[in-house]
Amino acid sequence: ADASILERARYYSRVATLGWVSTARTLRKSYTNLPTTFLYLIIYFIYSDTFSTISSVGILYARSQLCLGPGSLFVVAVLVPLFALLGNMLWLKLSVAYNLSNRFMVVLILAASALIPAWGLLSFTGIGLGFQKQWEVYLLSVSFGLCLGGLQSYSRTLYANFVPPGSESEFFALYEVTDKGSSWLGPMIVAALNQGSSDGLRFAFVYLLVGTLVPTIVLFFFVDETKGRAEAEAYAEGESSKKMIVSDTDDGDDDRHHHKHGGIQMLDTSTI
């Protein structure tokens, strides 16, 4: 009975840790064999957190600083997905018209999205702009929506080029972990800024600006889409070769096992 309970506990512990172990293994593969993929995941971790934080900070700022009511917030909630759909189509038309690469499109959209926190920093200048008026919140919603739709699409498309053929489910699972796993960082920093200063929400725009500009610069200068695709294909070919060697070894063992038993059968027949 004790052995059965112990075996069951081991089974459930393996099931509970399977996802974490698989994620760690895939992350190690990226770090060791796919440097471009690994670098892009770090960049994506940063700007994915930035975008999720922009939406939460925007709503919080509108409610606490501009005193927007439920009706106005509902309009904001409608504008973002509506313009995300429109932005997705507009970015696609731009990409096709000028034959722009996926990497350049992500860089372009990130650079455009950096204008949102940059606009928020205008509040320190005293000129009456920088999300000081209600109409600016609607401008934020439209701008954020236009960037959000295109960025989500082109980020996935770019990452697909860095995924080894045959390992799509494994690496896209890591992509989703990177996306959702960063959602805690921005709100924590914004909460710390808000508690530390009466102007904390305005200082949050500094963090958001850094979170868009740094990935833009790194992606533009240090990520090579062609190199990343070549690394992924080379890794897939290497894994395929390993499987073929293992398969040939197993087949050889089976053949030797078969011949051995065949010889025994012949010996037994002659003896009889």
Side-chain angles (χ1 to χ4, degrees), residues 24-180:
R25 187 184 301 116
T26 308
L27 192 60
R28 186 172 64 249
K29 289 179 184 178
S30 301
Y31 176 76
T32 305
N33 303 296
L34 304 164
T36 303
T37 305
F38 185 75
L39 177 59
Y40 179 73
L41 285 172
I42 295 175
I43 296 170
Y44 181 70
F45 180 90
I46 296 172
Y47 74 73
S48 174
D49 165 68
T50 301
F51 262 71
S52 62
T53 306
I54 286 176
S55 60
S56 58
V57 168
I59 296 296
L60 182 61
Y61 194 91
R63 292 180 60 184
S64 62
Q65 302 295 320
L66 300 179
C67 302
L68 260 66
S72 299
L73 293 176
F74 175 77
V75 173
V76 170
V78 171
L79 285 175
V80 171
L82 182 63
F83 278 88
L85 177 62
L86 178 61
N88 206 0
M89 293 185 292
L90 291 176
W91 291 116
L92 177 60
K93 287 183 177 295
L94 179 65
S95 173
V96 173
Y98 293 96
N99 193 27
L100 302 175
S101 67
N102 296 319
R103 183 187 66 89
F104 187 82
M105 289 303 300
V106 175
V107 168
L108 185 62
I109 298 172
L110 281 174
S113 65
L115 297 175
I116 298 174
W119 184 275
L121 291 176
L122 291 176
S123 60
F124 289 102
T125 63
I127 61 176
L129 295 175
F131 303 116
Q132 301 296 302
K133 300 177 176 60
Q134 290 190 2
W135 65 266
E136 292 178 284
V137 176
Y138 300 125
L139 176 65
L140 165 67
S141 304
V142 172
S143 304
F144 180 69
L146 287 173
C147 294
L148 179 64
L151 188 64
Q152 287 181 337
S153 299
Y154 281 102
S155 294
R156 288 179 178 274
T157 305
L158 177 59
Y159 181 72
N161 291 328
F162 301 150
V163 173
S167 302
E168 288 82 3
S169 59
E170 177 183 1
F171 277 85
F172 269 100
L174 179 61
Y175 179 84
E176 291 300 326
V177 170
T178 306
D179 182 15
K180 306 305 179 185

Side-chain angles (χ1 to χ4, degrees), residues 241-256:
S241 299
K242 291 178 183 178
K243 291 179 181 179
M244 289 180 64
I245 293 173
V246 172
S247 177
D248 291 342
T249 303
D250 291 341
D251 290 342
D253 291 340
D254 291 341
D255 289 341
R256 288 192 295 270

